[in-house]
């Protein structure tokens, strides 16, 4: 550092504050940058201009619109504070190769790490967004173009593997299919129903038109509208392809990779091989509401008491005493809101209800039938 007499030059001056490092008192100064020096002139005109070489700059920091320059090596260091962006512009113009303008390796490393973290965060956010919003849509579209013949293969594959460890109630199976044939059910799938000998309260639909019903859920029914509601609901899952869509969504990663590789044979084989997981899949609220709507439409189309659906779900809520929750509820969301929706629907959509002797007789036959 040199102290020189004040000399005017043609350089643009910046106004700043200078701390000598020897006291906390600040000195307002005019700052002039030359190719060789920082020239600091006290604003009060007292003289004693201070001159620092560029090589004597210890650090150069920018914080918002404030520039802080530290000089020398002794602590505490003299320091210049300029609340202007023009100082750095002057330095770049007059001393473009000044070493203190270049970020240190630590800063570069820090910026690189920050950049990497930002990039990773963005990628993760994009993947989460794709998984939550994009993939389900893609899988639904893909499921909608799967041939019905393949869909039936998926259902048959699960049915064969599942029934290997189950005992079919053949008498009730025959009777319940007769019962279903009496109903007017809109749809494009021929429905086949199999009754399984078990105390479990459960029923589920398979891709391609298969419905499996457990004896436990039939034994707790009191009237034929409840059975119509159950079969209509499960037929809704089939018609809307819910099981296939859910299966494909669970296999999304594998299916997308196979689709990119255009290995369509592997896609079809994988869907069939993973059909065994259908029993463990759970429908979301939207899918259940769609099937409830379909089942309600079956009741309305056949002029059957819609309260049968309410009684069915209330009976399932109660379970079988206090031993365990019906498995139907383990694969279907809670029924409280759905029961409320159905009750409101009954109040708003009044339709004529008729007595159906054939359905009642067949229901009584199903309740009495037992192949054991």
């Amino acid at each position: 550092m040199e102290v020189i007499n004040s000399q005017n030059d043609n350089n643009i001056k910046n106004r700043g504050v200078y701390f000598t490092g020897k006291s906390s008192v600040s000195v307002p100064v005019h700052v002039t940058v030359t190719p060789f020096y920082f020239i600091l002139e006290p604003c009060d005109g007292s003289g004693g201009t201070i001159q620092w070489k560029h090589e004597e700059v210890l650090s150069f920091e920018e914080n918002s619109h404030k520039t802080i320059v530290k000089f020398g090596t002794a602590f505490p260091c003299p320091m210049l504070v300029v609340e202007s962006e023009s100082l750095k512009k002057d330095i770049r113009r007059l001393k473009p190769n000044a070493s203190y303008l270049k970020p240190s390796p630590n800063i570069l490393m820090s910026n690189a790490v920050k950049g990497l973290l930002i990039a990773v965060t963005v990628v993760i956010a994009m993947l989460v967004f794709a998984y939550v919003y994009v993939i389900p849509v893609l899988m639904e579209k893909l499921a909608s173009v799967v041939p019905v013949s393949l869909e039936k293969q998926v259902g048959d594959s699960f049915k064969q593997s599942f029934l290997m460890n189950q005992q079919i109630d053949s008498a009730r199976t025959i009777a319940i299919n007769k019962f279903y044939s009496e109903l007017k059910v809109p749809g494009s799938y021929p429905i086949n129903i199999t009754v399984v000998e078990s105390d479990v309260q459960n029923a589920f639909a398979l891709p391609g038109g298969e419905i499996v019903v457990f004896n436990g859920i039939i034994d707790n029914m009191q009237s034929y509208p409840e059975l119509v509601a159950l079969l209509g609901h499960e037929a809704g899952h089939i018609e809307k392809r819910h099981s296939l869509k859910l299966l494909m969504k669970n296999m999304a990663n594998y299916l997308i990779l196979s689709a990119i590789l255009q290995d369509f044979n592997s896609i079809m084989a994988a869907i069939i091989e993973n059909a065994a997981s259908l029993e463990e899949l759970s429908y979301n609220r939207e899918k259940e509401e769609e099937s409830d709507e379909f089942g309600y439409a079956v009741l309305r189309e056949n002029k059957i008491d819609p309260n049968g659906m309410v009684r069915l779900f209330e009976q399932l809520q109660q379970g079988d005493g206090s031993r365990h929750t019906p498995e139907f509820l383990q694969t279907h969301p809670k029924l409280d809101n759905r029961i409320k929706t159905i009750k409101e629907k009954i109040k708003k959509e009044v339709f004529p209800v008729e007595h159906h002797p054939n359905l009642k007789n067949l229901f009584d036959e199903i309740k009495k039938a037992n192949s054991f």
Side-chain angles (χ1 to χ4, degrees):
M1 177 193 75
E2 298 180 37
V3 179
I4 62 174
N5 294 324
S6 176
Q7 298 290 334
N8 293 326
D9 53 42
N10 295 323
N11 293 292
I12 299 175
K13 296 179 180 180
N14 295 277
R15 188 179 180 90
V17 177
Y18 182 67
F19 297 86
T20 64
K22 297 178 181 179
S23 71
S24 60
V25 178
S26 61
V27 179
V29 294
H30 290 296
V31 183
T32 303
V33 178
T34 73
F36 302 100
Y37 299 101
F38 285 82
I39 299 175
L40 315 180
E41 302 173 274
C43 294
D44 60 5
S46 60
T49 299
I50 301 170
Q51 180 174 281
W52 286 98
K53 294 180 181 179
H54 287 280
E55 290 77 9
E56 295 177 295
V57 173
L58 177 63
S59 67
F60 187 93
E61 303 173 12
E62 288 183 295
N63 182 8
S64 184
H65 296 298
K66 183 183 296 184
T67 302
I68 301 173
V69 186
K70 293 181 180 179
F71 302 99
T73 57
F75 182 83
C77 302
M79 180 173 66
L80 171 67
V81 179
V82 177
E83 295 189 359
S84 169
E85 295 181 340
S86 62
L87 179 63
K88 187 172 183 178
K89 294 179 180 177
D90 290 344
I91 296 171
R92 287 194 178 281
R93 177 171 56 85
L94 297 168
K95 189 71 173 178
N97 296 323
S99 59
Y100 52 81
L101 292 178
K102 301 175 183 178
S104 68
N106 289 338
I107 294 177
L108 289 174
M109 181 62 71
S110 176
N111 290 338
V113 171
K114 288 180 181 178
L116 179 60
L117 290 175
I118 292 172
V120 169
T121 302
V122 170
V123 170
I124 291 175
M126 291 176 64
L127 289 174
V128 170
F129 179 84
Y131 183 79
V132 174
Y133 296 103
V134 179
I135 290 179
V137 175
L138 290 177
M139 290 301 101
E140 295 232 352
K141 289 186 178 296
L142 183 58
S144 65
V145 299
V146 170
V148 174
S149 58
L150 174 63
E151 189 178 2
K152 185 166 177 55
Q153 287 183 52
V154 174
D156 289 343
S157 175
F158 172 81
K159 181 181 175 181
Q160 290 174 12
S161 61
F162 176 76
L163 293 181
M164 286 178 61
N165 301 315
Q166 304 293 330
Q167 185 69 49
I168 297 175
D169 188 328
S170 56
R172 276 187 168 175
T173 295
I174 294 171
I176 202 170
N177 278 285
K178 287 181 181 179
F179 181 91
Y180 188 85
S181 66
E182 291 287 324
L183 299 173
K184 297 177 183 177
V185 182
S188 53
Y189 292 84
I191 301 298
N192 180 66
I193 307 165
T194 302
V195 179
V196 172
E197 180 65 32
S198 171
D199 292 333
V200 171
Q201 293 192 71
N202 199 18
F204 54 85
L206 299 174
E210 295 287 339
I211 297 176
V212 176
V213 180
F214 291 76
N215 266 333
I217 200 169
I218 295 175
D219 291 338
N220 283 285
M221 291 180 180
Q222 303 301 318
S223 62
Y224 70 86
E226 296 169 43
L227 182 56
V228 175
L230 175 67
L231 298 180
H233 175 89
E234 298 302 334
H237 283 311
I238 292 172
E239 187 63 27
K240 302 295 183 180
R241 289 187 154 186
H242 289 164
S243 298
L244 183 64
K245 290 175 181 179
L246 194 54
L247 177 62
M248 294 180 71
K249 179 183 176 181
N250 281 20
M251 298 172 58
N253 294 335
Y254 178 84
L255 295 180
I256 289 175
L257 179 59
S258 297
I260 292 174
L261 299 175
Q262 297 187 351
D263 188 1
F264 299 108
N265 290 331
S266 294
I267 291 176
M268 302 310 177
I271 293 174
I272 294 174
E273 288 175 5
N274 284 271
S277 65
L278 282 169
E279 187 184 10
E280 301 172 359
L281 300 183
S282 298
Y283 299 120
N284 60 25
R285 181 175 177 179
E286 179 186 358
K287 297 294 188 291
E288 288 301 329
E289 288 177 349
E290 285 182 352
S291 289
D292 287 349
E293 181 67 33
F294 191 93
Y296 191 90
V298 171
L299 291 165
R300 183 176 58 240
E301 177 68 20
N302 292 273
K303 299 180 181 179
I304 296 173
D305 183 7
N307 287 289
M309 182 171 280
V310 175
R311 291 194 297 271
L312 170 68
F313 290 161
E314 287 177 341
Q315 169 247 310
L316 287 168
Q317 274 190 319
Q318 294 172 2
D320 55 348
S322 59
R323 287 186 299 164
H324 60 78
T325 300
E327 288 196 14
F328 185 88
L329 298 185
Q330 296 177 20
T331 55
H332 295 64
K334 292 183 179 180
L335 299 171
D336 292 336
N337 291 334
R338 292 161 60 195
I339 290 174
K340 181 180 178 182
T341 299
I342 295 168
K343 287 183 176 180
E344 291 175 353
K345 203 174 189 64
I346 292 172
K347 292 179 181 179
K348 294 178 181 178
E349 301 181 16
V350 179
F351 59 85
V353 174
E354 298 178 356
H355 179 61
H356 298 265
N358 287 346
L359 290 177
K360 183 182 183 306
N361 292 334
L362 287 169
F363 177 75
D364 292 340
E365 181 182 338
I366 292 169
K367 290 283 288 184
K368 294 176 184 177
N370 197 300
S371 57
F372 300 95

